[in-house]
Amino acid sequence: MLLKLTGGTVYDPAHGIDGQVMDIYVRDGRIVDRPREGERIDQEYDLTGKVVMAGAIDMHTHIGGGKVNIARTLLPEDHRGDPVDHTELTRAGCGHVAPSTLTTGYRYAEMGYTAGFEPAVLPLNARQAHLEMGDTPIIDKGGYVMLGNDDLFLRMLAAQKDQNAINDYVAWIIHATQAMGIKVVNAGGISAFKFNQRMLDLDEKNAYYQVTPRQVLKTLARAVYELGVPHPLHVHGNNLGVPGNVETTLNTIAGVEGYPLHLTHIQFHSYGTEGDRKFSSGAARIAEAINRNKHVSADVGQILFGQTVTASGDNMSQFRNAGHAHPDKWICMDIECDAGCGVVPFKYKDQNFVNALQWAIGLEIFLLVEDPWRIFLTTDHPNGAPFTSYPHLIRLLMDKTFRNEIFSRIHPDAQKMSTLASIDREYSLYEIAIMTRAGAARLVGLHDRGHLGVGAAADITVYTDDPDREKMFAKPDYVFKDGELVVRNGKVVKVTWGATHAVKPEFDRGIEKEIAKYFDTYHTVKMDHVKVTEQHIAEDGRNHVIVQACKGRRERTA
Amino acid sequence: MDDFAQASAVENVTCPFCGLLCDDLTVERDTAGALRVGKNGCSRSITFFERGTPPLLPRLGGEDASLQDAIAGAAEFLRRAHHPLIAGLGTEVQGMRAVTSLADKLGATIDHMHSKGFMRNLLVVQNSGWLTTTLTEVRNRVDLLVIIGTDVVSLLPRFFERVVWNRDSLFGQDTAQREIVYLGGQNIDTTAGIAPDGRKPEVLPCEPERLPEVAAALRALVAGKKLAATEIAGIATTALEKLAERLKTARYSVFTWSARAMDFPHAELTVQNITETIKILNQTTRSSGLPLGGNDGDVSINQVSAWISGYPVRTSYGSGHPEYDPYHFSTDRLIDRGEADVLVWISTFDPGRIPPATNLPTIVLGHPGMKFDQEPDIFIPVGVPGMDHRGVLFRMDGVVALPIDRLRSSTLPSLGEVLAAIEQAL
């Protein structure tokens, strides 16, 4: 099967292609250079005047696993506002803030996305995360597994175990949970909450283990680096949402001593304490730090006004913020001496000073960080806003007039505390393609996605170039997934099931003896039953694991 | 790959027959495929694993039939139906995935046999939320366990062995010193709550239907209110005051209850008084809920339903999209009011869970050992998950999902296979 996509205007930043008219050939799901001698073109699409990019990649979106399903269960009233009917082709479900898995897959594809990564897979809940992702159609999936609040790691750290042993444990966890990377959420803080600590700053000690978040972060960042896992340690910082947490974030950047670090939903971690209301923007300082520290990347976690639900592993912060729940109901859970979760529905309002300033802070960060390869477009779905608001967010970044018009309507005191209106930058299509495609693929470690070079998987999105960027990005003309046309004119025309990406760093399997004994003594499941295998993932008859390379395990250091 | 024709002792078997999902059983298989529980059994696992499952043909109108004919017959009933009800739902994750697919296609309503109890918890979740914990946390942290209106062990036989009287724990606790309080209920067997050193649990009994008063009083006391009454449902107020004080000084108290056992009107409000008490306690110390459940796949099927449709069960696909209504879409109501016109009843773990008496055309997909008072129109015996085929089950806490394995050769199809074939035949 050979496809020809003819005459589109291509944006492929991985190859420095910035709006060049060119043809793309796809054979059996992969991009090829040109047809073979005498090879027949089976289907041709005339893309003259159309914008062509790789399929978009959401590198941080809560689409599967316990807390997402709790959010779904918690909010029947929200689902009722967005029912999704069964069609000849697609199954019924529901949308808005915590959509059903089926609707999630359809809607991502209909926006031109071809992959999404669940950033908070708990080791003991990984099977559920993969089951849900397996029921998410069309797009590719993957997850970052959470460490840094689990008893075994904290215990190893407290006992000053050798870094090599830690690396083996980290690699074992990645294998056991079929993960793409490691996430740390409120390092040590979720555990500390179980010992009744209510805050944990970077250099504060966990009451039981006597280790600090700084130690947790540095050790895990180093482990990820030494194992050769392409995705840097994915960090949800300590003190989420706390005014003044900009200091914590800056110290976190400095604290990992140059190891690669990805700071997630950094908007929620960029607050100062200036002004009458002791709440101010730390965006300029954060952006400056990212600009200066080349080992650091971030995604924004933009908030957008309206109803949403926050679902997080950080039950320490979620419990602290539960008073803001809207509607007034929330769930917190301690989980398996491993992790936690907290689900709090939220309504962000443009006439609320704090919410309005949060909105402005997110946009300031987007616009002040200079390198689009190190800043990523997220709303931390659904925590800042549901993923379906991405086209609106893209317009905010690409259209200064539109942005300033909305800015002029938010809470006036928040306007006074923000420099947003003075920032002239507008993102280009090329920069959008970097942050949502090429950069995201590079950051996650998807070697054959996010670009349109020869050999890449043919995940391709085609848009009509419309000056209204919201309209343009909401409804692509065509979306191809692995070379198959899955969306036409913003509607699903074929349901495929995508795959699950994982990495398999090398490690010493001798560590299993110790882990198995630990599980037998203290846990309520056997180590072997925790493991999610490739066979488990393939068991539904549709999904399979794609192993992405860990390029070069580094020399172990003494 | 196992050779199922050989006799064998399979170690580290995960038992699918209660919400604890113990995964340390040894199950012995003889050459005929009969199973016997060796190490780490309990009354429930022995009953369920060792129950005979005679080879059995499907039945159409009470007569033996081929599987193909039974499937074609079921499809015929369902094709003609305007409002099929798929209930019972005693199955695991993969079976439930097939149920939701068929329900979507048919416009059916789905409900579980334990929803009446499950809903009491769910209504609280959807009204005010809660703070809960999981089994490994309890095993390593609980210092005061308050058990409300249940003995726990008739539902979950190894509960105390697994998470209360475990010898080893992570944080230096002397687990034998854990305090157990049975609050409410009458004539509850509290022997499982006796500590290894013989120390007896505290028992504060009341009539089961007066639990609402007791739960409300405890919440008020924990909130710092004074009560004028000297006794609440026969329990001295001073005893409840003492309990409230102990809860405030405990470092990690856990409340557990069986919503199924709270069989009185508006029991959800009693659950809510418990969960709101926990919220108050967490202002100063740590406390968590541990709702009991997980039997017959109730936790699993609600998880699957939630991710597939956005809603737990008592959900209807009748209008083309899922609609959830914990009142209107109950099995009893749909049958009593004649709103459903075909009943599909599923119970793969427990042959005792037979469909409710009804005049509706009834298709049963279930354990081969099922005995009916009223022969269903179609009966298709299916394999028992975790014995005859693989599957996945969620534990009572809704967090840990474990694979359940095939232990022997079986000619019985899985529920998922039968449902897929019916869907195909529509």
Side-chain angles (χ1 to χ4, degrees):
Chain A
M1 182 76 178
L2 187 74
L3 302 183
K4 184 181 181 190
L5 310 183
T6 309
T9 305
V10 174
Y11 294 83
D12 183 18
H15 299 97
I17 296 168
D18 181 8
Q20 195 180 317
V21 174
M22 51 196 286
D23 300 336
I24 295 172
Y25 295 94
V26 175
R27 183 188 300 121
D28 301 330
R30 294 270 157 184
I31 294 174
V32 294
D33 193 16
R34 64 175 70 82
R36 295 188 192 107
E37 195 66 29
E39 187 178 4
R40 193 171 60 90
I41 290 164
D42 295 289
Q43 185 140 23
E44 182 173 357
Y45 293 85
D46 179 5
L47 304 184
T48 310
K50 302 289 182 191
V51 171
V52 180
M53 297 182 183
I57 296 163
D58 194 343
M59 47 66 61
H60 184 111
T61 173
H62 296 281
I63 53 171
K67 67 198 170 317
V68 184
N69 226 25
I70 289 171
R72 292 188 187 105
T73 305
L74 186 66
L75 293 168
E77 63 272 45
D78 185 69
H79 306 323
R80 285 188 188 113
D82 191 6
V84 176
D85 276 320
H86 172 104
T87 69
E88 285 283 297
L89 207 59
T90 56
R91 283 176 58 182
C94 69
H96 204 55
V97 303
S100 61
T101 53
L102 297 158
T103 305
T104 298
Y106 304 146
R107 288 198 173 162
Y108 258 118
E110 288 176 345
M111 283 193 330
Y113 276 72
T114 50
F117 289 83
E118 163 56 53
V121 175
L122 317 186
L124 270 297
N125 184 245
R127 193 173 312 280
Q128 179 177 6
H130 283 293
L131 283 166
E132 292 188 27
M133 290 194 282
D135 274 329
T136 305
I138 304 179
I139 61 171
D140 284 351
K141 287 76 64 169
Y144 316 133
V145 62
M146 272 167 63
L147 283 179
N149 284 288
D150 56 309
D151 173 76
L152 185 51
F153 171 78
L154 292 170
R155 204 164 280 271
M156 290 174 89
L157 198 59
Q160 296 179 304
K161 284 278 173 97
D162 170 59
Q163 180 79 32
N164 293 328
I166 298 223
N167 293 0
D168 287 335
Y169 172 57
V170 170
W172 181 85
I173 285 279
I174 290 176
H175 280 252
T177 59
Q178 301 292 336
M180 266 312 281
I182 296 287
K183 162 107 174 280
V184 57
V185 174
N186 188 355
I190 299 169
S191 162
F193 183 49
K194 296 173 188 177
F195 296 100
N196 205 26
Q197 285 171 282
R198 301 302 168 120
M199 297 275 279
L200 197 69
D201 210 347
L202 199 62
D203 293 307
E204 228 174 308
K205 284 180 174 166
N206 177 300
Y208 181 78
Y209 306 95
Q210 296 292 307
V211 298
T212 65
R214 185 190 296 270
Q215 288 171 278
V216 171
L217 290 166
K218 195 188 130 191
T219 307
L220 284 174
R222 183 176 159 189
V224 167
Y225 175 77
E226 290 183 352
L227 289 167
V229 172
H231 186 49
L233 181 65
H234 193 103
V235 177
H236 159 140
N238 294 64
N239 296 334
L240 177 139
V242 178
N245 63 13
V246 59
E247 304 299 338
T248 311
T249 308
L250 294 172
N251 285 332
T252 301
I253 292 172
V256 293
E257 297 175 8
Y259 289 112
L261 196 67
H262 179 82
L263 296 164
T264 191
H265 42 69
I266 197 163
Q267 176 276 128
F268 289 109
H269 305 269
S270 303
Y271 305 148
T273 52
E274 287 160 31
D276 296 344
R277 297 166 188 260
K278 307 287 180 221
F279 182 72
S280 59
S281 171
R285 293 175 68 199
I286 292 291
E288 203 257 315
I290 295 173
N291 291 339
R292 206 178 51 238
N293 289 282
K294 307 297 181 201
H295 63 289
V296 171
S297 58
D299 64 90
V300 171
Q302 178 67 34
I303 71 140
L304 294 164
F305 303 119
Q307 177 70 51
T308 196
V309 60
T310 66
S312 170
D314 188 352
N315 58 349
M316 177 191 260
S317 297
Q318 292 293 70
F319 181 79
R320 197 167 56 222
N321 295 326
H324 299 292
H326 179 99
D328 183 13
K329 52 182 177 180
W330 49 272
I331 288 175
C332 279
M333 247 183 134
D334 295 331
I335 295 176
E336 292 296 272
C337 299
D338 180 45
C341 92
V343 179
V344 183
F346 247 74
K347 189 168 187 177
Y348 296 107
K349 300 173 185 149
D350 61 355
Q351 296 312 309
N352 171 298
F353 167 75
V354 170
N355 298 166
L357 194 52
Q358 287 178 301
W359 178 87
I361 290 168
L363 292 173
E364 287 173 11
I365 294 170
F366 269 119
L367 297 166
L368 295 173
V369 171
E370 289 156 5
D371 181 1
W373 291 91
R374 292 191 290 119
I375 189 82
F376 297 92
L377 188 141
T378 67
T379 56
D380 187 18
H381 163 79
N383 294 327
F387 68 82
T388 38
S389 53
Y390 285 172
H392 174 80
L393 177 53
I394 290 173
R395 185 171 180 199
L396 287 170
L397 299 179
M398 296 189 74
D399 184 340
K400 187 180 68 166
T401 312
F402 178 67
R403 181 166 74 224
N404 286 344
E405 202 273 315
I406 296 179
F407 181 73
S408 71
R409 285 187 273 129
I410 65 171
H411 194 288
D413 292 354
Q415 290 183 47
K416 284 186 208 125
M417 297 291 287
S418 170
T419 59
L420 188 63
S422 68
I423 306 175
D424 287 331
R425 183 174 175 194
E426 291 180 330
Y427 269 80
S428 66
L429 284 174
Y430 188 70
E431 287 174 317
I432 293 293
I434 294 171
M435 75 196 314
T436 59
R437 275 85 172 166
R442 185 184 289 179
L443 179 79
V444 175
L446 304 172
H447 305 296
D448 61 344
R449 314 269 151 170
H451 66 89
L452 299 172
V454 170
D459 295 353
I460 302 169
T461 302
V462 179
Y463 303 100
T464 297
D465 194 353
D466 189 315
D468 180 343
R469 298 307 190 189
E470 183 166 349
K471 217 169 125 195
M472 169 175 169
F473 281 96
K475 201 176 165 192
D477 296 73
Y478 301 108
V479 180
F480 298 89
K481 180 76 187 75
D482 296 305
E484 291 191 86
L485 183 68
V486 290
V487 170
R488 186 196 292 269
N489 296 328
K491 283 283 157 217
V492 168
V493 293
K494 175 162 193 183
V495 177
T496 60
W497 287 92
T500 297
H501 295 269
V503 291
K504 302 288 164 84
E506 287 171 32
F507 71 110
D508 179 354
R509 288 181 189 270
I511 189 89
E512 283 210 331
K513 259 192 215 135
E514 197 182 321
I515 299 172
K517 187 165 160 238
Y518 170 80
F519 270 88
D520 280 346
T521 313
Y522 300 112
H523 270 257
T524 48
V525 288
K526 299 267 176 196
M527 177 192 77
D528 279 335
H529 297 158
V530 172
K531 293 178 186 171
V532 179
T533 64
E534 292 189 24
Q535 190 207 338
H536 290 146
I537 286 179
E539 222 157 35
D540 63 12
R542 310 185 297 219
N543 199 357
H544 65 280
V545 171
I546 296 175
V547 179
Q548 295 284 350
C550 283
K551 294 206 169 146
R553 180 176 178 132
R554 277 88 184 179
E555 205 50 43
R556 290 182 174 216
T557 37
Chain B
M1 201 63 202
D2 281 323
D3 179 356
F4 293 111
Q6 295 285 314
S8 173
V10 190
E11 290 184 355
N12 296 336
V13 169
T14 300
C15 170
F17 300 116
C18 90
L20 284 177
L21 239 53
C22 303
D23 65 345
D24 59 350
L25 278 69
T26 300
V27 176
E28 292 154 18
R29 175 184 66 228
D30 68 16
T31 47
L35 302 176
R36 209 185 70 76
V37 178
K39 213 172 61 176
N40 295 327
C42 68
S43 53
R44 203 173 158 87
S45 60
I46 289 168
T47 305
F48 279 73
F49 273 117
E50 298 186 3
R51 178 179 276 137
T53 49
L56 198 64
L57 287 174
R59 291 199 298 271
L60 258 172
E63 303 292 322
D64 283 356
S66 71
L67 181 60
Q68 285 87 334
D69 288 349
I71 285 167
E76 186 54 34
F77 269 115
L78 292 169
R79 202 180 303 120
R80 285 195 309 240
H82 296 290
H83 185 179
L85 168 63
I86 309 179
L89 300 186
T91 181
E92 48 71 60
V93 167
Q94 304 299 1
M96 186 58 186
R97 290 172 77 239
V99 168
T100 60
S101 178
L102 181 66
D104 189 347
K105 191 151 200 170
L106 290 171
T109 298
I110 54 177
D111 187 21
H112 189 272
M113 62 177 91
H114 298 328
S115 284
K116 203 172 165 194
F118 203 86
M119 281 298 155
R120 294 178 183 131
N121 287 335
L122 215 46
L123 289 174
V124 174
V125 167
Q126 292 174 339
N127 183 259
S128 52
W130 64 15
L131 276 141
T132 56
T133 190
T134 67
L135 292 177
T136 298
E137 295 288 3
V138 177
R139 178 177 166 96
N140 290 290
R141 290 184 196 278
V142 66
D143 55 357
L144 171 58
L145 177 67
V146 181
I147 300 166
I148 298 175
T150 172
D151 65 7
V152 184
V153 290
S154 42
L155 272 177
L156 312 164
R158 294 177 67 198
F159 181 84
F160 286 86
E161 172 208 331
R162 299 272 293 171
V163 303
V164 181
W165 303 130
N166 48 292
R167 203 191 56 216
D168 299 306
S169 70
L170 284 166
F171 309 113
Q173 200 186 9
D174 178 0
T175 55
Q177 294 306 309
R178 288 173 168 171
E179 293 184 50
I180 313 294
V181 178
Y182 287 87
L183 178 64
Q186 210 88 50
N187 304 319
I188 282 175
D189 181 354
T190 59
T191 49
I194 298 171
D197 61 7
R199 194 170 41 87
K200 289 203 169 124
E202 182 168 2
V203 185
L204 303 172
C206 76
E207 288 165 37
E209 61 279 9
R210 297 194 67 184
L211 204 51
E213 296 163 59
V214 176
L218 183 63
R219 177 181 176 186
L221 291 169
V222 168
K225 298 198 164 46
K226 292 276 171 239
L227 298 185
T230 54
E231 53 102 14
I232 313 289
I235 301 172
T237 306
T238 49
L240 288 176
E241 282 168 350
K242 202 175 122 221
L243 177 58
E245 278 315 304
R246 283 158 79 189
L247 285 164
K248 285 182 196 169
T249 52
R251 295 159 73 112
Y252 201 92
S253 58
V254 173
F255 289 76
T256 192
W257 66 93
S258 160
R260 255 164 83 192
M262 293 185 187
D263 202 10
F264 43 80
H266 294 293
E268 68 275 10
L269 298 177
T270 296
V271 174
Q272 194 167 41
N273 272 327
I274 299 166
T275 57
E276 291 297 304
T277 302
I278 294 166
K279 282 190 186 172
I280 299 166
L281 289 167
N282 276 285
Q283 289 167 9
T284 54
T285 184
R286 292 307 319 277
S287 178
S288 280
L290 185 75
L292 303 177
N295 294 17
D296 293 300
D298 59 359
V299 173
S300 305
I301 67 98
N302 275 291
Q303 288 276 24
V304 175
S305 183
W307 80 63
I308 292 286
S309 74
Y311 304 106
V313 296
R314 295 204 171 167
T315 285
S316 174
Y317 288 84
S319 55
H321 55 261
E323 289 179 301
Y324 163 69
D325 193 317
Y327 174 71
H328 279 104
F329 297 141
S330 80
T331 302
D332 290 350
R333 195 172 184 281
L334 291 175
I335 290 176
D336 291 348
R337 295 173 64 98
E339 288 182 21
D341 56 2
V342 170
L343 171 65
V344 179
W345 181 263
I346 294 167
S347 178
T348 63
F349 296 112
D350 189 346
R353 300 281 175 190
I354 57 172
T358 172
N359 297 324
L360 293 182
T362 301
I363 300 161
V364 175
L365 310 174
H367 193 287
M370 279 180 133
K371 301 260 183 288
F372 303 99
D373 302 332
Q374 184 188 344
E375 174 71 18
D377 297 83
I378 298 175
F379 174 50
I380 304 180
V382 295
V384 183
M387 283 169 57
D388 297 320
H389 64 83
R390 296 171 54 78
V392 177
L393 266 179
F394 279 82
R395 215 164 64 177
M396 57 180 283
D397 51 35
V399 169
V400 175
L402 295 181
I404 50 175
D405 232 325
R406 182 177 175 187
L407 301 178
R408 62 180 178 193
S409 67
S410 169
T411 54
L412 293 169
S414 70
L415 174 70
E417 287 163 353
V418 174
L419 291 175
I422 291 174
E423 191 178 329
Q424 200 67 43
L426 282 174

